[in-house]
């Protein structure tokens, strides 16, 4: 009988790659809440299988498959096998990949759009694994940057669609755009649904349904996600965890800790150690 995978996560932050985030993790009990990343998620399943939500439905990523989640795309994650799953992933920002596609296809090409949530491409999976190994063990900046660019460009060429990328905000109804912008600008405040309903000129129940339909999350979950994103930025600036919790609207550090781990898969303390 196969041994159950234990929950472990090693996070790193590559300044020489423009602040690229990397995660090497194994999970059994972890259940990621629905959220979006500030960039893309590109990962390879090393062992087991993961189930995750993307584009309105659930998908299974088995061993040796590649996970592709576009920027600003709602997703979650939990185990799809009896013993858990292990994977390695990178999180390039929208700007990072937009720069590459502009170089490949000409100015204003837009960021790539990965059409399939899960792809089985043994050749590309091996290339990504080699990249992850290199980024973990090599401190040669030229080698790291060159290998990263070569692999990501090849992934884009093999698996991105031809359609231009439009950020989700451009497709939102004006009422939902106003609400989203208001939440973005009042991340740390205790906003009421009634406030947002007045702003959108919609009844609260309909606003909640419409917001979730277009933004992928209900308003409260969207605000929580934006709080975590702000917390990460503040930690990168050297702000203490106690101050981060207060500045992002969490009641205390334990409140921040609980939601950060549920969304990121690592604790705020582990994240802080990785970036400094």
């Amino acid at each position: 009988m196969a041994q159950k995978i234990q929950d472990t996560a090693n996070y790193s932050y590559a300044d020489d790659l423009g602040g690229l985030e990397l995660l090497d993790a194994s999970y059994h009990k972890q259940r990621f809440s629905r959220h979006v990343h500030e960039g893309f998620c590109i990962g390879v399943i090393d062992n087991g299988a993961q189930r995750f939500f993307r584009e309105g439905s659930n998908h299974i990523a088995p061993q040796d498959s590649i996970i592709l989640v576009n920027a600003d795309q709602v997703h979650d994650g939990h185990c799809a096998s009896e013993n858990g799953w292990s994977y390695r992933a990178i999180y390039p920002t929208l700007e990072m990949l937009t720069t590459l596609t502009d170089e490949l296809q000409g100015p204003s090409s837009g960021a790539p759009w990965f059409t399939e949530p899960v792809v089985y491409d043994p050749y590309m999976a091996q290339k990504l694994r080699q990249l992850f190994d290199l980024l973990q063990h090599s401190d040669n900046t030229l080698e790291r940057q060159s290998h990263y660019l070569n692999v990501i460009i090849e992934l884009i060429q093999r698996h991105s669609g031809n359609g231009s990328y439009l950020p989700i905000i451009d497709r939102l109804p004006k009422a939902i755009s106003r609400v989203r912008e208001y939440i973005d600008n009042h991340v740390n405040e205790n906003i009421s649904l009634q406030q947002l309903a007045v702003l959108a000129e919609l009844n609260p129940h309909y606003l909640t349904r419409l917001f979730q339909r277009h933004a992928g999350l209900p308003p409260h979950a969207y605000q929580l996600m934006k709080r975590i994103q702000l917390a990460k930025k503040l930690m990168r600036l050297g702000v203490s965890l106690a101050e981060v919790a207060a500045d992002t609207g969490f009641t205390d550090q334990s409140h921040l800790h609980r939601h950060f781990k549920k969304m990121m898969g690592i604790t705020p303390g582990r994240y802080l150690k990785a970036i400094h």
Side-chain angles (χ1 to χ4, degrees):
M1 183 177 176
Q3 188 175 3
K4 287 185 178 180
I5 293 171
Q6 300 299 310
D7 283 22
T8 60
N10 295 306
Y11 174 92
S12 56
Y13 185 80
D15 281 317
D16 60 339
L17 295 173
L20 181 70
E21 297 182 354
L22 306 95
L23 182 66
D24 181 354
S26 298
Y27 296 120
H28 185 259
K29 297 179 181 178
Q30 174 74 25
R31 296 184 68 90
F32 289 94
S33 57
R34 288 191 182 179
H35 62 285
V36 302
H37 293 291
E38 297 166 271
F40 294 77
C41 173
I42 299 169
V44 176
I45 303 294
D46 288 327
N47 292 288
Q50 180 188 13
R51 182 190 302 272
F52 68 100
F53 172 91
R54 193 197 112 169
E55 289 188 322
S57 58
N58 288 304
H59 309 275
I60 301 291
Q63 185 173 347
D64 298 326
S65 63
I66 300 171
I67 294 172
L68 297 168
V69 180
N70 296 296
D72 212 10
Q73 194 166 47
V74 175
H75 63 287
D76 59 14
H78 53 92
C79 70
S81 61
E82 182 180 353
N83 299 310
W85 86 101
S86 298
Y87 73 115
R88 286 177 286 176
I90 53 174
Y91 302 88
T93 66
L94 185 63
E95 292 74 22
M96 289 176 190
L97 296 200
T98 300
T99 299
L100 292 183
T101 52
D102 283 350
E103 292 174 359
L104 287 170
Q105 303 168 12
S108 304
S109 297
W113 181 264
F114 295 108
T115 53
E116 296 298 325
V118 180
V119 295
Y120 184 71
D121 181 344
Y123 165 80
M124 204 66 236
Q126 183 60 24
K127 296 280 280 190
L128 284 166
R129 284 194 173 107
Q130 290 171 352
L131 172 63
F132 297 152
D133 287 340
L134 177 73
L135 295 181
Q136 182 180 359
H137 299 294
S138 173
D139 59 2
N140 184 310
T141 299
L142 182 59
E143 181 184 28
R144 287 162 57 89
Q145 292 175 340
S146 300
H147 202 71
Y148 166 74
L149 289 175
N150 290 338
V151 172
I152 297 305
I153 286 172
E154 190 166 9
L155 178 72
I156 290 171
Q157 291 173 329
R158 290 171 72 92
H159 293 295
S160 71
N162 295 323
S164 62
Y165 176 85
L166 292 175
I168 195 169
I169 192 69
D170 292 341
R171 305 194 299 269
L172 293 179
K174 289 182 179 179
I176 302 306
S177 292
R178 288 198 302 271
V179 170
R180 180 167 164 160
E181 184 177 354
Y182 185 86
I183 295 173
D184 289 348
N185 293 329
H186 300 81
V187 170
N188 61 346
E189 296 181 14
N190 187 19
I191 303 169
S192 73
L193 183 57
Q194 188 60 39
Q195 282 176 269
L196 299 180
V198 170
L199 181 66
E201 299 179 346
L202 298 170
N203 74 61
H205 177 63
Y206 184 65
L207 167 61
T208 301
R209 289 173 56 201
L210 190 66
F211 192 96
Q212 179 154 0
R213 184 191 309 162
H214 289 280
L217 297 167
H220 72 276
Y222 178 81
Q223 186 190 35
L224 178 61
M225 178 194 70
K226 297 302 290 188
R227 286 179 173 181
I228 297 297
Q229 290 179 358
L230 177 59
K232 289 170 63 181
K233 290 177 182 177
L234 292 175
M235 282 187 267
R236 290 198 292 267
L237 292 173
V239 179
S240 71
L241 289 181
E243 289 179 286
V244 169
D247 291 346
T248 52
F250 290 100
T251 53
D252 52 31
Q253 277 184 246
S254 63
H255 191 207
L256 167 65
H257 178 106
R258 183 167 69 254
H259 287 291
F260 194 97
K261 188 172 189 304
K262 194 172 182 183
M263 193 171 294
M264 295 293 299
I266 58 172
T267 65
R270 293 287 298 277
Y271 180 83
L272 205 54
K273 286 180 181 178
I275 61 177
H276 291 301

